[in-house]
Amino acid sequence: MSSNHLEALANLLADHTSVLILPHNDPDPDAIAAAVGLRYLLMEKFHVESLIAYRGYIEREENKAFVQYLEKPLRHFRRSDLQSAAKIALVDTQPGVGNNPLPPGWIADIVIDHHILRTTSQTAHFMDIRPDVGASATILTHYLMDAGIEPPSQIATALFFGIKTDTMGLSRNTSPLDVQAYFYLQPLIDVDALVHIEQAQVPLAYFQSIAGAIRAGRIYDNDIVMAYVGKLSYPDLSAELADFFMRLKGIQWVFCSGVFRNELILSVRTRNSRIGAGTLVSTVIGEKGTAGGHGTMAAGHIKLQRGDDPQQLAVELEKSLLLSLKGTHAVAYERMI
């Protein structure tokens, strides 16, 4: 399948010299890896230069160490980037979802993603959306494999880290393509660099956030954790805390929310294979904001208006989530500590 995609890309990029690559806002390891993987493919296979630009923040210590290792391949997005690019590519995101710098009304030339297909992506000149695949980095790895291009250690490490992170070491949302890409890349990676990235030291505030989240956490029906943690020091913190709570024995769902700047950010994790986290969050948030994700992990963002009480808004979302999962049954809860 990827060979057909390579042919389609070749036709699209003929006579074009530059591509603007846009990952989603606050890019995570998979988005970063997919972006650098696409940049490498475009140069090696099609001799096309590209620029990677992002909007938001890269504040998680592992992610900062990751981009440092990659020699800072991303720069902050500027509106002028859109005018100067011959083609625009979205990776690990899609048009119209509200979590990338592409303005409404702009058509992306290339869309490569592993989330649920959005109808807005169908306007793209090239589209490769694979919701059954665990990581966008997997798709880019298979492009390189089918092109007969063995990535250098730095690119291989990036793609491997992207796959490992989004699939939690092949333990969630994993397809045969993820497994194949993971073990293809493994002999090529810089092991010392990967250890340094994954074991990046974190500031005292990180542990204070964990302590605060535990104090705020509540357990419902012995299998759901909900925690509104207040102010977030960076957007990804709610996702980190949600991952942390998923380690609690017996827990099937985690809903962790907090405020960064003028947004309420909700992160969801689940072990439940019957109910998709992305679908659930999209349904609950609805028109209030933006949402998306996979079967076992999802996120939502709601812009706060003047006078909004973010904690009350979080409580309302929690009630809606509980109603969706438990119906009208009474839900007993207890604080974690």
Side-chain angles (χ1 to χ4, degrees), residues 9-335:
L9 277 175
N11 293 332
L12 178 64
L13 296 170
D15 301 324
H16 289 284
T17 58
S18 66
V19 174
L20 172 64
I21 301 174
L22 302 175
H24 60 70
N25 298 341
D26 312 318
D28 61 6
D30 185 38
I32 296 168
V36 298
L38 178 58
R39 184 182 68 171
Y40 184 75
L41 174 72
L42 293 178
M43 177 54 71
E44 294 297 311
K45 178 68 175 176
F46 306 111
H47 310 293
V48 172
E49 294 185 351
S50 55
L51 166 71
I52 304 172
Y54 73 100
R55 177 177 287 163
Y57 305 87
I58 299 176
E59 292 294 334
R60 190 167 178 166
E61 295 301 324
E62 298 96 309
N63 296 352
K64 288 196 286 187
F66 186 34
V67 296
Q68 186 70 32
Y69 166 70
L70 294 173
E71 301 173 63
K72 300 182 179 179
L74 304 85
R75 83 170 193 199
H76 282 285
F77 171 78
R78 305 169 188 165
R79 181 75 184 213
S80 60
D81 293 335
L82 295 169
Q83 281 80 21
S84 60
K87 297 291 182 183
I88 299 171
L90 296 183
V91 292
D92 207 34
T93 183
Q94 297 179 49
V97 299
N99 72 341
N100 61 65
L102 190 70
W106 283 71
I107 295 177
D109 298 285
I110 299 167
V111 180
I112 301 172
D113 191 22
H114 70 125
H115 297 93
I116 297 169
L117 173 64
R118 305 290 183 134
T119 55
T120 49
S121 293
Q122 295 173 351
T123 61
H125 301 115
F126 173 92
M127 178 185 70
D128 189 0
I129 312 295
R130 308 192 200 186
D132 57 326
V133 172
S136 294
T138 293
I139 301 172
L140 270 302
T141 300
H142 280 277
Y143 284 178
L144 292 172
M145 293 168 66
D146 287 348
I149 300 171
E150 181 177 293
S153 181
Q154 188 184 60
I155 300 298
T157 302
L159 292 167
F160 183 86
F161 185 50
I163 297 169
K164 184 179 181 183
T165 301
D166 250 31
T167 66
M168 198 175 283
L170 301 182
S171 69
R172 69 181 179 194
N173 300 327
T174 303
S175 72
L177 287 178
D178 297 301
V179 176
Q180 185 180 6
Y182 188 92
F183 287 107
Y184 165 76
L185 293 167
Q186 194 170 43
L188 307 175
I189 67 172
D190 183 338
V191 176
D192 290 339
L194 187 62
V195 170
H196 175 75
I197 293 166
E198 293 182 323
Q199 299 299 320
Q201 290 188 310
V202 296
L204 177 61
Y206 171 77
F207 295 97
Q208 292 171 334
S209 297
I210 290 178
I214 293 173
R215 286 193 295 270
R218 302 178 308 283
I219 301 174
Y220 291 78
D221 278 7
N222 299 315
D223 63 353
I224 298 175
V225 170
M226 292 193 169
Y228 170 74
V229 299
K231 186 177 179 180
L232 301 169
S233 55
Y234 53 92
D236 277 351
L237 183 56
S238 63
E240 284 191 79
L241 295 172
D243 288 334
F244 173 76
F245 281 131
M246 276 304 293
R247 298 190 62 188
L248 183 60
K249 188 173 183 179
I251 293 302
Q252 295 296 309
W253 287 90
V254 173
F255 304 96
C256 187
S257 60
V259 176
F260 182 79
R261 303 252 167 135
N262 65 335
E263 283 193 328
L264 178 70
I265 298 175
L266 172 68
S267 295
V268 179
R269 300 292 185 267
T270 184
R271 300 185 191 279
N272 190 307
S273 58
R274 295 183 298 105
I275 305 174
T279 301
L280 177 62
V281 174
S282 296
T283 300
V284 169
I285 288 184
E287 298 298 320
K288 299 185 188 75
T290 60
H294 316 276
T296 61
M297 56 191 297
H301 294 244
I302 299 176
K303 286 189 176 180
L304 299 171
Q305 306 300 322
R306 184 184 297 273
D308 282 349
D309 182 341
Q311 185 168 8
Q312 182 58 39
L313 180 56
V315 169
E316 292 172 4
L317 289 176
E318 289 177 357
K319 288 179 178 178
S320 297
L321 290 163
L322 285 171
L323 184 62
S324 297
L325 292 174
K326 300 290 185 176
T328 57
H329 299 293
V331 178
Y333 78 90
E334 58 179 318
R335 290 201 174 273

